[in-house]
Amino acid sequence: MIAKFGNIRIASFKLLSVSESLLLLYLISVILISMTPGGNLVSKLVGLILLYFFVLSVIKSKRKILISREIYFAIGWLVIGLISGFVATDINLVYVKVFTIIQLLIFFIVGYSIINQSAISIKTIFYVFIISVVIAFLYGLLTQGNSAVVVTRNRIVGTAGDPNQIAVFGAFAILFSIYLIIIEKKYIFKLLNIAFIAILVLGIVKTQSRQGILIILVSTIVLLILNYFSEYKRSNNKSRIIIRSLLILLFSIVIIGIVIYYFRQSDYYYRVQALITFVKISLGSTSDNITKMIDYSAYERKKLISFGIRMWLDHPIIGIGLDNFRVVIKNYWPISNRLYSHNNYIELLSTIGTAGTIVYYSIYYSIFKKLSQVNKKSEFFKNNHNIKLIHIFITAMVCLMVLEFVTVTYYSKFTWILLMIILGYTDKLSNAKQVEE
């Protein structure tokens, strides 16, 4: 189908099947409404309808259920989580979390199977993701200042219900917009993505989330390094690549300087300044009272991680039971609330032990291995866009692992959707399929 404005051709696209459309709708629901009151039920309903039509298409022999090798690691991890229930203080928490993980794995398999057998392009996936996040931010910017936001110190939360969560969405959306700016041929779409990035950056600043700015910094550094080494390896004029890279570095330093100047004028700055002061005092003083006053959030996270490491050392093999950190933390820190460890690595190590954590991160290792293999044979790609896409995927995986130092992600819909997208299109590329159109 071709979209036109008068006699001007805007874009061409293929009509999607019901399952493909529902997959995109499910992605939209996770970003826009899953964290609003009642929104999680709506998102699950969309997921169930997606599952129904996918099974129907399998029965009619239009599709196959595809199982990637990463699923076997996920099943092994799930089994270890179940076994950890034997030592859990609260077995109900284990059952609830296992049920959640089973749902996530089912949708992971369904989404992976649809992507590998469908006409959905990576551009479509990225645009759906970016536009959904932009809408969430615009809603947050328009409603900023209402009574519900006062409790978060006027930090916008959009429709995500959490300033950190929406900031993470925004940071990944910026990464995907950068890819679209690179591959789009029409200037109108390049300008559209630049506009998206401007809204996303403004939104992230308004969330005052340190997670958002961390992901932006990490993604920028990783992406620049990957692109530099790729171009250097493929170029016959190495000196030209080096000179151009130095110019880009100089330009980046100037831009960063400008950004830092305006950043220091924003509400965002006080949170970063408080964190830096906290770290300095923590390294040079034992006064918990001082550190609590300066940045209680950082103080609390430090305590949770410290006690989480102690839990793991006390139960190194099987842990304390899946999702039981928030119960057992009371035994180590009596004044603590029922909180997660705010660190995916510590959360897994303490709750399902060393073996369970290794099995879980074997999923990531397997995806990185596939990305590396595809990247090595990137010289066989006819289109340079596929090389850029692999760089985006590697960057996204690195950012996810960095993010996991400050939050728990193993049961997050967003985490499994991101892994599904990366794995689905990486396997397409490994089969020499072009996915950039």
Side-chain angles (χ1 to χ4, degrees):
M1 182 176 287
I2 299 175
K4 291 185 176 181
F5 182 75
N7 295 323
I8 301 175
R9 175 175 170 173
I10 300 175
S12 61
F13 54 90
K14 298 178 181 178
L15 290 176
L16 302 177
S17 68
V18 176
S19 295
E20 293 164 353
S21 300
L22 285 169
L23 178 62
L24 296 179
L25 184 60
Y26 179 68
L27 174 58
I28 294 170
S29 71
V30 168
I31 296 170
L32 279 179
I33 63 172
S34 66
M35 300 183 96
T36 60
N40 189 42
L41 292 177
V42 175
S43 181
K44 286 184 177 181
L45 179 61
V46 173
L48 288 174
I49 297 173
L50 166 63
L51 182 60
Y52 169 78
F53 278 99
F54 175 75
V55 171
L56 200 62
S57 67
V58 170
I59 293 174
K60 292 181 178 180
S61 301
K62 291 182 179 179
R63 295 189 189 278
K64 298 178 181 178
I65 298 176
L66 302 179
I67 305 294
S68 67
R69 71 188 185 196
E70 290 75 16
I71 286 297
Y72 299 109
F73 292 120
I75 292 173
W77 165 61
L78 182 63
V79 170
I80 294 174
L82 277 169
I83 294 173
S84 73
F86 288 105
V87 297
T89 302
D90 188 341
I91 188 67
N92 290 324
L93 291 177
V94 177
Y95 290 151
V96 170
K97 200 61 73 180
V98 165
F99 182 66
T100 298
I101 294 169
I102 290 173
Q103 293 178 70
L104 291 172
L105 292 183
I106 290 172
F107 288 126
F108 178 89
I109 294 171
V110 170
Y112 173 83
S113 300
I114 291 174
I115 286 174
N116 270 276
Q117 301 171 83
S118 76
I120 303 179
S121 69
I122 190 63
K123 278 173 58 175
T124 301
I125 294 282
F126 282 174
Y127 270 119
V128 167
F129 183 90
I130 294 164
I131 293 172
S132 298
V133 178
V134 167
I135 291 172
F137 269 125
L138 287 175
Y139 172 81
L141 291 168
L142 291 173
T143 58
Q144 187 181 21
N146 63 28
S147 57
V149 180
V150 173
V151 295
T152 58
R153 295 185 183 178
N154 213 32
R155 298 170 63 191
I156 69 166
V157 299
T159 60
D162 179 3
N164 289 325
Q165 183 64 70
I166 196 172
V168 169
F169 286 164
F172 279 95
I174 289 173
L175 178 63
F176 300 153
S177 283
I178 290 172
Y179 171 74
L180 293 173
I181 290 172
I182 293 171
I183 71 165
E184 288 288 9
K185 298 176 182 177
K186 297 181 182 296
Y187 282 105
I188 186 171
F189 289 111
K190 290 182 183 289
L191 291 173
L192 179 63
N193 279 283
I194 291 172
F196 285 156
I197 291 176
I199 295 170
L200 293 168
V201 170
L202 175 62
I204 291 172
V205 169
K206 292 293 185 179
T207 65
Q208 301 177 33
S209 169
R210 291 171 290 206
Q211 293 181 19
I213 201 70
L214 173 66
I215 298 304
I216 290 176
L217 289 173
V218 171
S219 62
T220 301
I221 293 170
V222 173
L223 198 56
L224 286 174
I225 291 173
L226 288 172
N227 287 334
Y228 169 77
F229 281 107
S230 176
E231 291 186 15
Y232 185 82
K233 180 181 177 182
R234 295 161 63 89
S235 176
N236 294 323
N237 189 347
K238 310 288 187 185
S239 59
R240 184 172 64 87
I241 297 298
I242 294 174
I243 293 172
R244 190 175 71 176
S245 298
L246 290 174
L247 290 174
I248 291 174
L249 178 61
L250 180 62
F251 177 75
S252 299
I253 291 173
V254 173
I255 295 297
I256 290 171
I258 295 172
V259 170
I260 289 175
Y261 172 78
Y262 285 103
F263 175 71
R264 290 171 67 92
Q265 317 301 318
S266 69
D267 294 334
Y268 211 138
Y269 182 63
Y270 91 90
R271 287 176 54 78
V272 175
Q273 192 177 36
L275 177 62
I276 293 171
T277 305
F278 165 81
V279 172
K280 288 180 179 178
I281 292 177
S282 294
L283 294 175
S285 172
T286 58
S287 176
D288 282 352
N289 291 328
I290 295 176
T291 54
K292 280 190 286 187
M293 287 188 294
I294 291 174
D295 192 335
Y296 186 80
S297 174
Y299 165 81
E300 190 174 53
R301 288 170 184 265
K302 177 185 174 183
K303 286 288 187 181
L304 292 171
I305 290 172
S306 175
F307 289 124
I309 293 173
R310 195 179 301 178
M311 285 184 204
W312 169 50
L313 295 176
D314 289 342
H315 310 84
I317 299 176
I318 199 171
I320 58 174
L322 188 65
D323 198 33
N324 269 243
F325 182 96
R326 49 184 171 154
V327 176
V328 179
I329 186 62
K330 285 283 187 179
N331 299 336
Y332 289 81
W333 192 20
I335 64 171
S336 171
N337 296 317
R338 286 169 61 96
L339 297 170
Y340 292 101
S341 64
H342 288 72
N343 183 304
N344 204 59
Y345 305 97
I346 299 299
E347 184 76 22
L348 290 173
L349 284 168
S350 62
T351 58
I352 58 175
T354 306
T357 304
I358 290 173
V359 173
Y360 178 82
Y361 280 103
S362 294
I363 300 171
Y364 288 35
Y365 172 76
S366 180
I367 294 175
F368 269 119
K369 188 174 180 180
K370 284 184 176 181
L371 286 167
S372 176
Q373 290 170 344
V374 175
N375 192 48
K376 285 180 181 178
K377 65 177 185 180
S378 61
E379 62 268 19
F380 298 111
F381 290 148
K382 295 179 181 179
N383 198 314
N384 188 49
H385 296 167
N386 288 328
I387 300 173
K388 301 297 184 184
L389 182 60
I390 289 298
H391 292 169
I392 292 291
F393 285 162
I394 293 173
T395 303
M397 287 296 299
V398 171
C399 288
L400 177 60
M401 295 192 72
V402 170
L403 178 66
E404 289 176 345
F405 279 104
V406 293
T407 189
V408 178
T409 65
Y410 74 85
Y411 60 90
S412 165
K413 289 181 183 178
F414 171 70
T415 298
W416 289 93
I417 286 175
L418 184 64
L419 295 178
M420 174 197 75
I421 293 170
I422 292 173
L423 184 59
Y425 286 102
T426 299
D427 282 348
K428 270 193 169 186
L429 283 174
S430 67
N431 294 325
K433 296 180 181 180
Q434 302 293 305
V435 301
E436 75 284 347
E437 298 299 335

